Amino acid sequence: MNKWNKREAELVATDPDRVPPLAALPNPQNAVLGSLQGAEFERVAAEAARTVPPREHGGNCDIKNLSRGSRIYFPVYVEGAKLSMGDIHFSQGDGEISFCGAIEMSGYIDLHVDIIKGGMDKYAMVNPIFKPGPVEPRYSEYLVFEGISVDEFTGQQYYMDAHVAYRRACLNAIEYLKKFGFTGEQAYLLLSCAPVEGRISGIVDIPNACCTIALPTEIFQMDILPS
């Protein structure tokens, strides 16, 4: 936790007034800390890392293929580490691009836990490893949109920036779907909650990373192919 807070604070310090901020640093406001109260609550809330981003221990692992029958291998960094889960999604696209754009749902998790002693060294683990189960969205036909590392407003060229490239792929798909009667907002939410496939299709050819978003055509009741 100290490593996370240090490196994220150093990142925020490079542009402290940025909107949105570069990271969500520890913040007592709206902290949920179980039964802690009083001075102990204040102490923990002032140093505890927010659980929104993925980190070495797991964090927010919004992977659409994790469903019934999945296995997850978490590294354990501290003695007495706890395990908690939540934020169940009915459906989601790769990247959950609108932040809370997945179809959230109530539900329960039937969970079994084993410990692999020395597993982190044995398997060179730094971050979690995932084995999706057999229950996942499967489609056979896609329309794929490409994006590159060029800012959509200024035309600025970035160097191998996959975030910019994926954003451009999503924006290209949104503009395309608007030609078929969707509003921009509808298309945006569709890409976030439908089981689209997000891919880094090229990460070696300077200066552009190439990211793609594959839209399953079978989810539509009309033909969306160019003709």
Side-chain angles (χ1 to χ4, degrees):
M1 186 179 66
N2 291 336
K3 288 183 179 180
W4 302 337
N5 286 338
K6 181 178 183 294
R7 74 190 184 200
E8 292 178 21
E10 290 173 348
L11 174 63
V12 170
T14 64
D15 191 359
D17 298 322
R18 185 180 186 273
V19 178
L22 290 169
L25 300 180
N27 181 1
Q29 184 176 1
N30 299 324
V32 178
L33 298 172
S35 61
L36 293 184
Q37 295 180 356
E40 188 67 2
F41 179 97
E42 297 299 328
R43 181 189 67 80
V44 175
E47 65 182 14
R50 291 288 173 162
T51 58
V52 170
R55 294 188 180 93
E56 288 89 340
H57 71 307
N60 200 11
C61 306
D62 278 336
I63 300 172
K64 74 174 190 299
N65 305 67
L66 294 180
S67 187
R68 180 162 56 88
S70 296
R71 289 189 177 190
I72 307 176
Y73 301 87
F74 288 113
V76 180
Y77 282 94
V78 296
E79 185 176 351
K82 309 296 185 183
L83 178 65
S84 64
M85 294 187 181
D87 191 20
I88 304 173
H89 295 169
F90 174 78
S91 181
Q92 178 200 310
D94 280 341
E96 196 186 6
I97 62 170
S98 63
F99 183 64
C100 287
I103 301 176
E104 307 282 347
M105 62 178 284
S106 60
Y108 69 91
I109 299 175
D110 187 359
L111 189 67
H112 178 82
V113 177
D114 290 312
I115 296 177
I116 303 176
K117 292 185 178 181
M120 291 177 64
D121 290 333
K122 184 177 181 180
Y123 298 111
M125 289 187 69
V126 176
N127 294 89
I129 299 172
F130 304 92
K131 183 181 182 299
V135 183
E136 64 172 350
R138 295 182 181 179
Y139 295 94
S140 59
E141 297 184 7
Y142 292 86
L143 192 60
V144 181
F145 298 85
E146 179 184 84
I148 58 174
S149 306
V150 176
D151 188 272
E152 65 272 17
F153 293 113
T154 66
Q156 179 182 351
Q157 177 73 63
Y158 290 87
Y159 178 75
M160 304 300 287
D161 193 318
H163 179 267
V164 172
Y166 192 64
R167 184 175 72 226
R168 289 301 305 269
C170 292
L171 289 171
N172 289 339
I174 289 169
E175 290 302 313
Y176 183 89
L177 290 173
K178 286 167 64 176
K179 300 298 184 180
F180 289 83
F182 294 92
T183 66
E185 292 81 4
Q186 288 172 331
Y188 184 33
L189 291 175
L190 177 66
L191 296 183
S192 191
C193 66
V196 302
E197 298 281 347
R199 299 160 186 164
I200 296 179
S201 300
I203 202 72
V204 295
D205 298 313
I206 60 173
N208 283 318
C210 173
C211 288
T212 54
I213 185 168
L215 185 61
T217 58
E218 295 154 282
I219 68 174
F220 296 93
Q221 294 179 318
M222 59 182 171
D223 183 5
I224 66 164
L225 296 178
S227 62

